[in-house]
Amino acid sequence: MRINKYIASCGVASRRKAEELIISGRVTINGELITELSTTVDETKDIVEVDGVPINQEEKKVYILLNKPEGYITTVKDQFDRPSVLDILKDVEERVYPVGRLDYETSGLLILTNDGDLTYKLTHPKHEVEKTYLAMVNGIISPEEKRRFENGLQIEDYTTAKAKLKIVKADEEKNYSVCKITIHEGRNRQVRKMCKAIGHPVRNLRRIQMGRINIRGLEVGEYRNLTEDEVKYLKSVK
């Protein structure tokens, strides 16, 4: 990469201003003074300094929306060598991480980014970002079970916060219910544990929405960059 372009990519100055810095003898590469505008930089190993201060390229922030398939973990790797969601992102050069987790058997909406501040905001309980799931569960959910689910359940060593449960379909003949569930916590396998706590274990679980972000138009296994408006919305979450 040409030296003026590198300096600009570090956010120090525009390319034209970078040329002035070079000509005036204010730039060194690996301790050697540089005055030729045609000089190139190996950004992976060269140390570039302006006025004696090392400069580095600004990391490009990436925000990806993935419709996660079942059978993928949301950590980089695990002891069983199962495939990771990062294996799906074939053309993403930046090192990104999932915002929160979806368990191995759960599909649906997953945001991945290298923006640590946004990840913290979206995963911290105090920000109460709603997450909506579509769940197929065993049996027919009664009004009393729905009330218990929505008002908070004792799960292991904690009580869940208030939640929403809307029954979309109830098939008495095949003995299953489909429901839309909305929570704002993100504990390990929480929706599955909540359904089991009211006597209706999950058969199939898919996350379909986070706040105002949804996966409409994305097939399972597909991903896209979040739009500028979507990123602004997520950053504005209080």
Side-chain angles (χ1 to χ4, degrees):
M1 182 185 295
R2 285 174 68 99
I3 182 62
N4 64 331
K5 182 178 179 182
Y6 179 82
I7 293 171
S9 73
C10 293
V12 174
S14 67
R15 290 196 195 185
R16 179 170 294 181
K17 290 291 185 183
E19 289 178 356
E20 294 177 9
L21 294 173
I22 296 162
I23 292 169
S24 60
R26 296 169 61 186
V27 179
T28 63
I29 299 179
N30 300 325
E32 182 180 343
L33 183 65
I34 299 299
T35 55
E36 291 293 328
L37 299 180
S38 60
T39 303
T40 58
V41 176
D42 182 342
E43 57 266 38
T44 63
K45 61 182 181 181
D46 285 341
I47 298 173
V48 180
E49 294 177 298
V50 175
D51 294 333
V53 179
I55 62 174
N56 295 288
Q57 285 180 303
E58 294 181 331
E59 184 180 40
K60 177 186 175 185
K61 292 293 190 289
V62 179
Y63 307 90
I64 294 167
L65 178 65
L66 167 69
N67 189 347
K68 173 191 174 295
E70 293 181 28
Y72 283 80
I73 58 170
T74 52
T75 51
V76 176
K77 59 182 178 179
D78 73 346
Q79 63 188 40
F80 305 110
D81 201 28
R82 294 176 294 182
S84 163
V85 291
L86 300 180
D87 298 329
I88 301 173
L89 309 181
K90 301 295 186 184
D91 60 351
V92 178
E93 296 179 358
E94 293 79 10
R95 190 172 185 180
V96 295
Y97 300 91
V99 176
R101 293 185 178 183
L102 284 182
D103 65 60
Y104 183 71
E105 299 136 334
T106 301
S107 63
L109 184 152
L110 185 68
I111 293 173
L112 301 101
T113 184
N114 55 358
D115 186 335
D117 291 337
L118 183 63
T119 298
Y120 174 80
K121 173 180 280 193
L122 296 179
T123 53
H124 198 286
K126 75 177 183 180
H127 295 291
E128 299 191 356
V129 181
E130 289 192 335
K131 293 171 275 288
T132 302
Y133 298 79
L134 203 59
M136 177 188 286
V137 303
N138 288 338
I140 307 300
I141 299 172
S142 70
E144 172 59 20
E145 289 165 341
K146 178 178 183 296
R147 185 195 65 78
R148 287 177 52 217
F149 188 100
E150 293 186 323
N151 287 337
L153 297 163
Q154 183 67 34
I155 306 289
E156 297 168 350
D157 60 346
Y158 66 93
T159 301
T160 61
K162 288 184 179 294
K164 300 173 188 174
L165 188 153
K166 178 182 178 181
I167 298 171
V168 178
K169 179 180 180 180
D171 191 320
E172 293 187 4
E173 183 179 338
K174 296 183 179 178
N175 194 37
Y176 73 84
S177 302
V178 176
C179 46
K180 184 181 285 189
I181 294 168
T182 302
I183 64 173
H184 63 75
E185 298 169 293
R187 296 175 184 267
N188 183 40
R189 300 174 69 86
Q190 182 174 333
V191 172
R192 292 180 182 274
K193 291 175 181 178
M194 291 175 73
C195 290
K196 186 176 181 180
I198 62 168
H200 297 280
V202 167
R203 292 189 189 180
N204 181 270
L205 186 62
R206 178 162 58 103
R207 184 158 67 191
I208 58 174
Q209 191 162 331
M210 176 183 277
R212 296 206 305 256
I213 310 297
N214 62 66
I215 53 170
R216 283 197 295 269
L218 270 185
E219 297 294 328
V220 175
E222 289 185 344
Y223 59 94
R224 65 170 174 83
N225 290 318
L226 289 174
T227 66
E228 187 175 331
D229 284 344
E230 288 171 330
V231 174
K232 284 182 180 177
Y233 158 69
L234 290 173
K235 289 184 175 182
S236 72
V237 170
K238 300 298 183 183

